[in-house]
Amino acid sequence: MNISKKAIKRTGVPAVRRGASLPVSAYENDDAPLLACVLKNSLLGLAATAISGLILISATCALAYSSADPSSLIAPLSLLALLPSNFLGGFVTAKKTHRSPLACGLVCGAVTTLVMILFSLLLRGAPTSNYEFWQSALLHSLSVLFCILGAMAGNVKIKSRRNKRRFGN
């Protein structure tokens, strides 16, 4: 990595020249506690989940209303909208945190599940009351599982060919 010694003397902070890769510590604060970083970034993941969920639920509603019996498609299409949006929320949380994907997925899934439970309590007469306890528990655990899978996908480190040629590996 090319660091200018003059820049360190002037500002006290190492400056990275153009074209050099940034160290991991430039992306995150290593001194910050893991839970604080994950909680902060899980709110961004929750926003990504909500936006993608709204887009997917709009698409699935259009698909359901174009069919002959829309009421029979509500449960599978809502599940089709929920799981990819939770995957995206875990992915965004892990990409922003750059740390433990399991912690990112668990915290993002817990926050998403908490929001889903709060909304189901507010909307008492809604179709959420048609599910039994075990079905609801399975739905929430699938939500957390897809957040964890998204976080694992978002935290994958890929070695580029350029680095292999530069270092002779």
Side-chain angles (χ1 to χ4, degrees), residues 15 19 25 32 69 74 78 80 84 101-102 120 128 135 137-138 145 159 169:
S25 61
D69 187 21
I74 289 175
S78 62
L80 185 68
L102 183 62
S120 69
T128 57
Q135 291 172 334
L138 179 66
L145 177 68
K159 289 186 176 182
N169 293 335

Side-chain angles (χ1 to χ4, degrees), residues 13-14 22-38 40-41 93-101 103-104 154-155 157:
V13 178
L22 292 175
V24 174
S25 61
Y27 291 114
E28 61 184 282
N29 186 0
D30 290 333
D31 297 335
L34 176 66
L35 186 61
C37 288
V38 172
K40 181 182 75 170
N41 291 323
T93 302
K95 274 292 186 192
K96 290 298 286 183
T97 305
H98 298 286
R99 290 196 190 174
S100 170
C104 292
N155 204 22
K157 307 274 191 285

Side-chain angles (χ1 to χ4, degrees), residues 152-164:
M152 287 181 169
N155 204 22
V156 172
K157 307 274 191 285
I158 300 173
K159 289 186 176 182
S160 68
R161 292 182 183 174
R162 183 176 152 191
N163 287 342
K164 286 182 182 179

